Amino acid sequence: MTDKPTPADWQALADKEVKGRDLTWQTPEGIAVKPLYTAEDNQGWDPGLPGFAPFTRGVRASMYAGRPWTIRQYAGFSTAEESNAFYRRNLAAGQKGLSVAFDLATHRGYDSDHPRVVGDVGKAGVAIDSVEDMKILFDGIPLDQMSVSMTMNGAVIPILAFFIVAGEEQGVSQAQLDGTIQNDILKEFMVRNTYIYPPAPSMRIISDIFAYTSEHMPKFNSISISGYHMQEAGATQVQELAFTIADGREYVKAGIAAGLDIDRFAGRLSFFFAIGMNFFMEVAKLRAARTLWHRVMTELGAKDERSKMLRTHCQTSGVSLQEQDPYNNVIRTTVEAMAAVLGGTQSLHTNALDEAIALPTDFSARIARNTQIVLAEETGITRVVDPLGGSYYIEALTKDLVDRAWEIIERVEGEGGMAQAVAAGWPKAMIEEASAARAARVDRGEDVIVGVNKYRLKDEDPVEILDIDNQAVRQSQIARITRVRQTRDEAACQAALTALREGAAGSANLLALAVECARARATLGEISASMEAVFGRYGTQPTPVAGIYGGAYEGDARWTRLTDGVAATERRMGRRPRMFVAKMGQDGHDRGANLVSSMFGDLGFDVVPGPLFQTPEEAARLAIEKDVDVVGASSLAAGHKTLIPELIGHLRDAGRSDIKVIAGGVIPAQDYQFLRDAGVQAIFGPGTNLITAAEEVLRLLGHNMAPETETAE
């Protein structure tokens, strides 16, 4: 009989095998992950049982053994007719719920005929301008039988009003409507930027929706508190977890302040998390989120245990998808989907393999949907509740995430709550620092991305993508808006809009007033403008972080050659080279633009970070005013074929063709020649190494980089 080996025995054997090399892994969250966990790592930690407080192991006792998660694919593109046909095909193939993606014009409260949205209509989601569009979107889809999730924040009032009226005209009462509206404006001010109004009236809108749905829509979730866009913007999982729970706390406090009973509306709050490639971290994150939410709601005075359950939708990561060797994305999505399921999500969207460059085709969407069906039907994952529960590693990681996230949550609360923190800007800065550090690790090859910075193919086969004819969609939408305005009772419509404007100036419920506007066939832009007349339209100026990217490259020979090149260019020009990073159209995703601004600033460029939502004419005017040498046009929402050529035209008309225009972001390779023909001098697609991009920009400015310069692998 031999003695049972101890952790010390294991350590001695492991040291011998790896010759003393430290196997501890430092995660981006600052967590030191050991190579071995034992029961000793979980002293004092009790995750409880599924279905019981604090719900760490799941909100339902039976979880998937009783009923699998809901397959809820997020989709919307082009027109309401096209999206409706897509939804019906997916529902026939096994999808169980709908999740609607709206185009950026809709998100930002503009009708499709507005001059600011020429390049945005129908490109990154479906265009919805009126109740008529909403009725077409759900034609043949009974809203008394279908759960519908709508990702909408800025124009949440008109969109929800249109949904309510579309249901009524289908014969479905408000009490029968089932689904979720995202309605999470704080994270828009932090990362996604599809806001319309300033923070204070935006928070009022959320309270009004809580009040209206509590009274009229008992089956409807009045908010989906989203961490997804934080992780997509570069947040670590600790940051995503902490700021999402803190946002939720702020919304509950706003509901209480509006006079609502916490237990009347808390059960209709839901969450939305990103699931990235750090498999076990993502599993533990969902378990930690449920633990933290139970703690927060208990502190806020909830009495009903159902009020303390964190129910969540998850979506696999968009940022993890790569343009290079794109079939690897099927593998990435499968791994992320498994993490979401093993973490206990209530519903799930799986991204398609081509979404790094375009909206999904029917082919890629089928693979994405079937990924979930295979997991549910073939793997046995649904047979056991919380199958990773009790894992020494998972439980230790869950506890560590709870503790680290709680530190940030307490800091937020100590500084006056999440609205105050967002106004101060430190959560956004924290996320951008994490994003820059991640980009530097990828560019240096420290974080491996297969097919991008390691195991790169010499030749890439083209992938068929979905291309939306933006101009055709816009013209069809304009025609429908015209018909709506010609056939409505104009006096009744204007009276409803006036009542909404007066209600915004007073204290009336804005959703109730907007429902009347929708019944009178007011358009989305008209409803938004009525509130904007009182609240104003909000805008921010990007302030990129400094020193993070450059600090990661300190002492690197390639970085030194670049900084020497920038210094040489400065001597030749008599001033530092100047770059304007432009964000045109209504796309508020600014991670890429901020990374470029941060990195080129660290190199020694004078960087002009442009305001969001510019028109090409405004961008050209600012480039000339600032006397820049290069305009870097960042595109993530497929408006590049419209907006960038127009920018070049305005520069040319002003006699400044010497200003070089480069393009970066989500640009399919199939569009490169079109942009080159339009005058774009360099194109940097998804996954571009920023060091390589900087070398090319210096060459465009006339600096001959040393021949020994490395190229990206």
Side-chain angles (χ1 to χ4, degrees):
M1 189 78 175
T2 59
D3 291 336
K4 182 179 179 181
T6 67
D9 295 327
W10 171 87
Q11 187 67 60
L13 182 58
D15 285 344
K16 181 178 179 181
E17 290 174 353
V18 299
K19 297 180 174 57
R21 179 164 49 92
D22 186 7
L23 297 178
T24 301
W25 172 47
Q26 193 75 20
T27 76
E29 292 77 17
I31 295 173
V33 175
K34 303 186 299 181
L36 178 71
Y37 285 80
T38 69
E40 294 178 5
D41 293 295
N42 293 298
Q43 295 293 325
W45 172 252
D46 181 9
L49 291 171
F52 293 91
F55 307 108
T56 306
R57 302 193 65 188
V59 294
R60 298 173 67 237
S62 59
M63 287 301 288
Y64 309 142
R67 185 182 70 190
W69 65 92
T70 299
I71 300 172
R72 191 187 298 280
Q73 293 297 87
Y74 177 56
F77 57 91
S78 183
T79 62
E81 291 92 341
E82 291 285 341
S83 295
N84 173 262
F86 185 80
Y87 295 158
R88 292 170 73 166
R89 290 195 297 272
N90 279 7
L91 291 170
Q95 184 172 315
K96 298 301 183 185
L98 293 179
S99 183
V100 182
F102 299 95
D103 74 354
L104 290 165
T106 303
H107 273 288
R108 293 271 294 146
Y110 293 117
D111 287 333
S112 296
D113 59 356
H114 198 284
R116 299 196 73 86
V117 299
V118 172
D120 296 302
V121 177
K123 293 295 285 189
V126 60
I128 298 294
D129 293 308
S130 72
V131 168
E132 297 305 319
D133 288 330
M134 192 69 82
K135 289 171 65 178
I136 294 167
L137 189 67
F138 296 113
D139 183 41
I141 300 172
L143 292 178
D144 57 343
Q145 301 173 34
M146 181 59 58
S147 172
V148 177
S149 174
M150 293 179 286
T151 300
M152 178 53 64
N153 302 283
V156 62
I157 287 287
I159 284 295
L160 190 48
F162 291 167
F163 180 68
I164 289 167
V165 175
E168 288 176 352
E169 297 187 8
Q170 226 189 55
V172 179
S173 70
Q174 295 184 31
Q176 293 174 289
L177 293 173
D178 186 5
T180 303
I181 189 81
Q182 191 164 100
N183 194 27
D184 174 6
I185 203 63
L186 285 175
K187 68 96 172 48
E188 298 294 330
F189 293 117
M190 204 186 316
V191 291
R192 191 164 174 254
N193 300 313
T194 52
Y195 44 69
I196 300 175
Y197 316 110
S202 296
M203 290 296 290
R204 172 191 166 182
I205 285 170
I206 289 171
S207 296
D208 281 0
I209 290 173
F210 283 0
Y212 188 94
T213 54
S214 292
E215 184 176 353
H216 301 287
M217 303 168 72
K219 296 170 65 178
F220 199 79
N221 297 318
S222 50
I223 194 167
S224 174
I225 304 151
S226 174
Y228 184 88
H229 303 97
M230 298 180 199
Q231 188 179 137
E232 293 292 278
T236 67
Q237 276 87 337
V238 166
Q239 291 167 356
E240 177 194 8
L241 178 59
F243 292 137
T244 304
I245 298 297
D247 279 351
R249 181 183 220 161
E250 191 84 354
Y251 294 137
V252 172
K253 288 162 60 180
I256 294 170
L260 300 176
D261 181 338
I262 186 172
D263 286 311
R264 281 197 62 197
F265 70 86
R268 282 185 295 280
L269 309 182
S270 65
F271 287 78
F272 175 30
F273 286 102
I275 304 295
M277 285 296 289
N278 190 346
F279 184 85
F280 293 107
M281 187 74 75
E282 294 293 4
V283 173
K285 182 183 76 182
L286 297 185
R287 302 170 94 252
R290 292 191 290 269
T291 309
L292 287 165
W293 189 240
H294 183 272
R295 183 184 297 179
V296 164
M297 293 300 281
T298 300
E299 287 186 357
L300 289 174
K303 300 293 189 293
D304 189 336
E305 286 298 300
R306 290 173 298 180
S307 299
K308 305 175 188 179
M309 294 178 178
L310 182 145
R311 296 163 299 110
T312 189
H313 173 71
C314 290
Q315 180 173 338
T316 60
S317 173
V319 167
S320 73
L321 301 177
Q322 304 299 324
E323 177 190 32
Q324 296 83 2
D325 206 358
Y327 290 102
N328 288 336
N329 293 333
V330 178
I331 304 163
R332 295 183 177 103
T333 293
T334 303
V335 169
E336 292 167 350
M338 287 182 65
V341 170
L342 292 172
T345 189
Q346 277 60 67
S347 62
L348 179 62
H349 166 92
T350 33
N351 285 332
L353 66 95
D354 47 3
E355 288 189 67
I357 50 176
L359 291 167
T361 62
D362 275 7
F363 170 75
S364 65
R366 179 172 61 86
I367 294 172
R369 180 187 63 249
N370 285 354
T371 299
Q372 295 195 53
I373 296 174
V374 169
L375 288 177
E377 301 287 352
E378 297 186 23
T379 64
I381 284 176
T382 61
R383 304 294 186 187
V384 176
V385 179
D386 189 28
L388 292 184
S391 156
Y392 298 141
Y393 177 35
I394 286 294
E395 299 298 356
L397 203 51
T398 302
K399 180 181 184 300
D400 211 343
L401 285 170
V402 167
D403 293 343
R404 288 170 184 267
W406 191 249
E407 289 178 8
I408 297 176
I409 293 167
E410 288 195 309
R411 177 186 171 186
V412 169
E413 195 64 14
E415 296 185 17
M418 200 61 197
Q420 290 292 328
V422 168
W426 65 264
K428 182 177 180 66
M430 185 182 286
I431 291 171
E432 290 187 2
E433 288 174 4
S435 178
R438 160 72 171 166
R441 291 196 306 273
V442 171
D443 285 354
R444 288 173 59 84
E446 295 166 1
D447 287 2
V448 172
I449 300 178
V450 175
V452 178
N453 62 3
K454 196 173 184 180
Y455 311 109
R456 182 92 180 244
L457 291 176
K458 288 185 177 180
D459 298 302
E460 298 272 356
D461 293 328
V463 176
E464 180 185 348
I465 63 168
L466 181 65
D467 187 24
I468 302 296
D469 186 342
N470 159 248
Q471 291 304 313
V473 174
R474 186 166 185 264
Q475 290 308 312
S476 71
Q477 289 298 121
I478 291 173
R480 185 175 292 141
I481 292 170
T482 301
R483 287 196 299 274
V484 166
R485 288 175 176 154
Q486 287 174 341
T487 55
R488 70 191 182 187
D489 182 335
E490 191 63 27
C493 181
Q494 293 304 320
L497 290 169
T498 298
L500 175 60
R501 190 163 53 251
E502 292 173 350
S507 59
N509 189 287
L510 296 172
L511 180 55
L513 293 170
V515 168
E516 295 303 320
C517 293
R519 289 175 179 144
R521 289 321 190 252
T523 68
L524 176 134
E526 290 169 336
I527 294 172
S528 296
S530 293
M531 293 185 287
E532 184 181 338
V534 177
F535 300 147
R537 183 171 280 267
Y538 187 73
T540 57
Q541 179 69 37
T543 52
V545 298
I548 303 297
Y549 198 100
Y553 268 91
E554 186 175 0
D556 184 277
R558 197 174 176 194
W559 180 266
T560 300
R561 283 197 295 273
L562 277 171
T563 54
D564 288 347
V566 173
T569 302
E570 179 180 358
R571 290 192 296 271
R572 177 169 51 81
M573 298 175 68
R575 60 167 175 78
R576 297 168 70 185
R578 192 170 297 136
M579 172 185 280
F580 166 38
V581 180
K583 283 290 295 181
M584 296 179 291
Q586 298 305 307
D587 172 31
H589 295 86
D590 58 356
R591 176 181 186 172
N594 289 339
L595 281 175
V596 169
S597 295
S598 297
M599 183 268 196
F600 276 88
D602 286 354
L603 273 177
F605 275 69
D606 274 338
V607 175
V608 179
L612 299 174
F613 314 123
Q614 286 193 305
T615 65
E617 183 177 9
E618 290 167 343
R621 193 182 308 133
L622 185 57
I624 294 167
E625 175 189 321
K626 297 295 185 181
D627 191 26
V628 302
D629 308 298
V630 181
V631 176
S634 173
S635 174
L636 295 179
H640 52 272
K641 290 173 71 174
T642 302
L643 301 171
I644 297 176
E646 189 176 333
L647 165 68
I648 293 170
H650 285 302
L651 291 172
R652 183 178 58 246
D653 292 345
R656 291 303 309 270
S657 295
D658 59 301
I659 296 177
K660 295 167 175 60
V661 176
I662 61 176
V666 181
I667 302 175
Q670 292 91 320
D671 293 346
Y672 283 14
Q673 193 57 50
F674 174 89
L675 293 176
R676 290 185 183 113
D677 292 343
V680 174
Q681 299 200 27
I683 303 170
F684 306 108
T688 295
N689 185 300
L690 288 180
I691 299 297
T692 303
E695 291 169 347
E696 180 62 24
V697 170
L698 279 177
R699 289 190 189 97
L700 287 175
L701 294 178
H703 180 75
N704 185 23
M705 291 300 296
E708 68 270 19
T709 295
E710 302 167 13
T711 56
E713 301 205 355

